[in-house]
Amino acid sequence: YDTYVRQHMDFMSSAHRASAFLPWHREFLRRFELDLRAIDSSVTLPYWDWTVDNSPTSSIWGDDFMGPNGRPSDGQVMSGPFAYGGGAWTLIYDGPYLRRRFGVSSLAPTLPAPTDVTNALATTPYDLPPYNDGSFLAGFRNTVEGWRNGPQLHNRVHVWVGGSMGPASSPNDPVFFLNHCFEDKLWADWQAAHPGEGYV
């Protein structure tokens, strides 16, 4: 698992703030799912629709799934399958324990809304010059990655969860994969809605 964390850290500059954001993460998810299937062939990665499950009390944060928010003093997740105290989830990078700080940042006090998704799905083309986080005029990739008008969509989710989802080592938090699976679903929906819009 730590190999995935390291890969994400190593490719921050090329897999983010650029046209490759969505395809790079799609391949990242595919490889992770294939590795899980080598252990259990029935595994599929689910997505987290954060426009629906959008509060700290949503079922995704139950002890039987992703585990809860971190404690106020240091953000440490104290229960659930990824709690350090359980002995099964020790972080090598930015560890040793998983941290979460739901909605603490003033940049992301809430998760994205359904209207944010609707607006993103209507945005074309896929990307625009200069093909980085400075592509503020439009472009689906930059909109869904979340660089337009402060942290939105993908970026907003990372900031809202906070803690271990903040740094480049964000795959330390398994909810990273559920977030990116939803981003990938949005890209698939966008591709279906705009078949004439190719990858730049």
Side-chain angles (χ1 to χ4, degrees):
Y1 189 91
D2 292 318
T3 299
Y4 284 95
V5 178
R6 182 78 252 169
Q7 286 174 350
H8 192 262
M9 293 167 66
D10 289 346
F11 287 92
M12 278 301 290
S13 62
S14 55
H16 300 82
R17 301 179 185 217
S19 294
F21 173 72
L22 290 162
W24 189 92
H25 283 85
R26 178 173 283 178
E27 179 63 13
F28 190 65
L29 294 171
R30 188 185 76 82
R31 290 179 184 195
F32 182 58
E33 187 173 73
L34 288 173
D35 278 348
L36 291 174
R37 285 184 180 180
I39 299 165
D40 180 344
S41 62
S42 69
V43 170
T44 57
L45 291 177
Y47 65 78
W48 165 33
D49 183 345
W50 22 253
T51 68
V52 175
D53 294 315
N54 58 7
S55 79
T57 59
S58 294
S59 61
I60 187 176
W61 306 117
D63 281 338
D64 60 344
F65 195 22
M66 290 287 109
N69 194 9
R71 64 183 176 193
S73 61
D74 59 2
Q76 182 175 347
V77 173
M78 300 301 292
S79 62
F82 306 109
Y84 176 71
W89 203 254
T90 300
L91 307 182
I92 293 176
Y93 306 105
D94 299 320
Y97 52 80
L98 179 64
R99 300 176 326 277
R100 293 184 180 138
R101 311 279 298 190
F102 296 163
V104 170
S105 172
S106 62
L107 296 174
T110 60
L111 288 163
T115 54
D116 298 318
V117 169
T118 300
N119 292 338
L121 292 175
T123 302
T124 58
Y126 175 80
D127 210 352
L128 288 169
Y131 306 108
N132 58 30
D133 57 334
S135 303
F136 291 118
L137 297 177
F140 174 73
R141 187 274 313 163
N142 207 28
T143 301
V144 80
E145 189 174 359
W147 296 108
R148 295 179 65 204
N149 305 316
Q152 301 299 324
L153 297 173
H154 158 267
N155 290 351
R156 187 175 189 90
V157 174
H158 276 267
V159 174
W160 184 85
V161 173
S164 297
M165 277 281 276
S169 59
S170 55
N172 271 326
D173 192 333
V175 82
F176 167 97
F177 291 96
L178 280 63
N179 176 35
H180 277 275
C181 283
F182 190 56
E183 297 293 332
D184 193 68
K185 178 204 180 299
L186 295 181
W187 186 29
D189 292 345
W190 182 88
Q191 289 173 310
H194 307 282
E197 293 289 343
Y199 176 80
V200 178

